[in-house]
Amino acid sequence: MITSPRSRWAAVVAVTVGIFAIVTTEILPIGLLNPIAGDFGLAAGTAGWTMTVPGFVAAVAAPVVTVGTGRLDRRTMLAALMLLLAVAGFLAAAAPTFAVLLVARFLVGLVIGGFWSIGSGLAPRLVGTAAAGRATSVIFSAVPLGSVLGVPLGTLVGQLAGWRTAFLVLGLLALATAAALRLVTPPLPATGATRATVLKGLLTRRGVRSGLAVTFLVVLAHFGTYTYITPLLRDVVRPEVLSGYLLVYGAAGIAGTFLAGMNRLNFTTAAILIALATVLLPHAGPIGALALLVVWGVAYGAVPVCSQAWFARAAPDAPEAATVLFTASFQATISAGALAGGFVVDAVSLPAVMTAGGVVALAGAAVVQGARRTGAPARSARGISATSSTTSSSRARSSADAVESSSTE
C-alpha cells in the first residue's frame, strides 16, 4: 500500500486518465464517422462497425481477462493494457484498409474489458476505505470527461489534421499513461481471484438480472442512435460548429452524472428524457437541436452511474464480479446498439433510427418501473448486507459510496 497521501491520489489520477483514454478511444468514431466512411468508401452504417467491434470484444474480455489474470499483480495488468491501447491507436492511425482498422478496434475491446473490470474497483486499495468514495467519484468522472473533452477535441483534431491524427494522439496519451501507472501505482497483488462460478452465481439473483435487462434497453436506445448523431447533425447544423455541439452534449453529460450521484436524476427519468430527445431531434432546427442535445446529455450522463449503482447494490459481497457484469453488459449493449442502428440507418433512414431508439428507451423505463414494484435490486442488497460481514462486502460498500446515493429505482 502507498504511504504518502499525495502518492495515493497520484495513482487514482493515473487510473482516471487511463479510463479517460479508453472512453475517448472507444467512442471517438462517433465524431469521425463521416471522414472514416469517406476514406474507405463505406456507408455510414458500415463505418459504425468501428463502434460495434470494441463493445462485443469487451463484453467477452471483461470476464475472460478478469478471471484469467486473477492472480496477477493489478498494477502490471493496468500498465500492460495501456500499452495495448497505445498499439491500437498507432495501428488505427496507420490502417491501410478498413479491415486493419477493425483489428485495431478489436484490441481496443480487449483493453476496455480488462481495464474497466480491474481498475474501476481499485479505489479502496489505493486510498483506503475512508476515502474510497471520493476516489471512486474521481475515477468515474473519466466517463463524462471522455465525452465533454475527449470526443469533441478528437473530432476537432480530425477536422483539422485528419481522423488518423486523432487516433495517433490517443496512442501517445495511452503510452504516457502506461508509464505513469507503472511509476506512481503501488504493487497490487491479487487478493481474491474472481472465479467463473462467482459470476454464474450472480446471474441467479433477481436484482442482477433486472439490472442487466434495464441496462440493455437503455444503453441500446442510446448507442443505437447516438452512434449516428454526426451524420444527423450534418443535415441540421454547419459542419464547422459540429464539434461545439458535441462539446455541449458532453458538458451536459457531466451535469447528469452529478445529478444522479446526488439522487436528483433516476433511471426512469433518464430513459424518458433520452426517448424525448431522440424522437424530436430529427425535426428540430439548429437551436432546437442544441437544446435537445443538452437534455440527451444530462439523461445519458446519469445512466452509467445508475447502472453501476444497481449492480453494486445487487451484489455488495462480490464487488469485482459485479463490476465485470456491469462492464460486460454495458459493452455488449453498446455494440448491439451500434449494429442495430446501422442496419436501420442503411435500410431506412436516420430519422427512423432515432424514433426506434425512443421506443426502446421507453421500454427501458417500463422495465425499471416493473423492477421497482418487485423491489428486486433493493431486496438483493438488503439481504446480502444483513447476512454478510466479509471483507469483500465492506469493500463493495466503500467502492459504491460515490454511486450508491443515486437511485436505482
Side-chain angles (χ1 to χ4, degrees):
M1 177 67 69
I2 306 175
T3 57
S4 166
R6 181 177 296 179
S7 297
R8 295 176 183 179
W9 283 98
V12 170
V13 170
V15 173
T16 304
V17 174
I19 291 180
F20 170 82
I22 290 171
V23 170
T24 303
T25 302
E26 179 182 15
I27 64 177
L28 182 61
I30 292 175
L32 300 174
L33 205 61
N34 279 8
I36 290 173
D39 199 357
F40 294 112
L42 305 170
T46 304
W49 275 90
T50 54
M51 287 291 296
T52 300
V53 169
F56 278 139
V57 174
V60 176
V64 171
V65 172
T66 306
V67 172
T69 64
R71 300 192 181 280
L72 299 180
D73 185 281
R74 305 336 250 164
R75 178 182 67 172
T76 300
M77 282 302 304
L78 293 179
L81 288 166
M82 273 294 106
L83 286 175
L84 187 60
L85 185 66
V87 171
F90 298 148
L91 183 60
T97 65
F98 187 63
V100 174
L101 178 60
L102 291 183
V103 170
R105 301 301 288 171
F106 180 93
L107 298 180
V108 172
L110 291 178
V111 176
I112 295 168
F115 198 102
W116 256 110
S117 298
I118 295 170
S120 60
L122 284 179
R125 297 189 65 186
L126 293 175
V127 299
T129 56
R134 283 179 295 152
T136 302
S137 296
V138 172
I139 290 172
F140 270 85
S141 71
V143 179
L145 282 174
S147 295
V148 73
L149 292 178
V151 173
L153 288 176
T155 302
L156 181 61
V157 170
Q159 290 173 347
L160 297 176
W163 65 268
R164 295 176 185 274
T165 303
F167 283 103
L168 176 62
V169 170
L170 284 171
L172 294 173
L173 175 62
L175 195 61
T177 305
L181 284 166
R182 189 66 187 175
L183 289 173
V184 304
T185 307
L188 296 168
T191 57
T194 297
R195 301 183 183 278
T197 52
V198 176
L199 296 173
K200 183 178 179 180
L202 291 185
L203 294 175
T204 65
R205 302 183 186 183
R206 179 185 296 175
V208 171
R209 293 198 304 269
S210 62
L212 289 171
V214 172
T215 298
F216 172 78
L217 288 171
V218 178
V219 178
L220 180 74
H222 172 76
F223 277 97
T225 52
Y226 188 68
T227 300
Y228 305 97
I229 191 66
T230 300
L232 180 70
L233 288 178
R234 284 184 178 273
D235 294 333
V236 179
V237 304
R238 300 190 312 275
E240 59 267 24
V241 302
L242 181 59
S243 60
Y245 271 60
L246 294 178
L247 183 64
V248 169
Y249 166 85
I254 291 180
T257 299
F258 283 104
L259 286 172
M262 295 185 296
N263 198 23
R264 301 304 175 104
L265 184 58
N266 57 42
F267 231 154
T268 300
T269 303
I272 292 173
L273 290 177
I274 289 173
L276 178 70
T278 55
V279 170
L280 294 180
L281 190 60
H283 312 290
I287 301 301
L290 187 62
L292 288 171
L293 282 177
V294 170
V295 172
W296 194 348
V298 168
Y300 183 70
V303 170
V305 179
C306 292
S307 181
Q308 172 71 5
W310 191 307
F311 283 104
R313 292 179 61 164
D317 56 327
E320 186 172 86
T323 303
V324 168
L325 289 181
F326 164 72
T327 303
S329 63
F330 218 90
Q331 293 301 323
T333 311
I334 288 174
S335 291
L339 181 61
F343 286 142
V344 176
V345 167
D346 289 347
V348 190
S349 66
L350 285 166
V353 78
M354 295 293 166
T355 301
V359 172
V360 174
L362 289 177
V367 172
V368 175
Q369 288 302 299
R372 181 184 183 184
R373 283 193 294 272
T374 63
R379 259 205 304 272
S380 296
R382 284 199 297 268
I384 293 167
S385 299
T387 58
S388 175
S389 60
T390 62
T391 302
S392 62
S393 181
S394 299
R395 283 179 180 163
R397 286 189 292 270
S398 299
S399 300
D401 280 346
V403 293
E404 190 118 359
S405 59
S406 67
S407 172
T408 58
E409 302 273 347

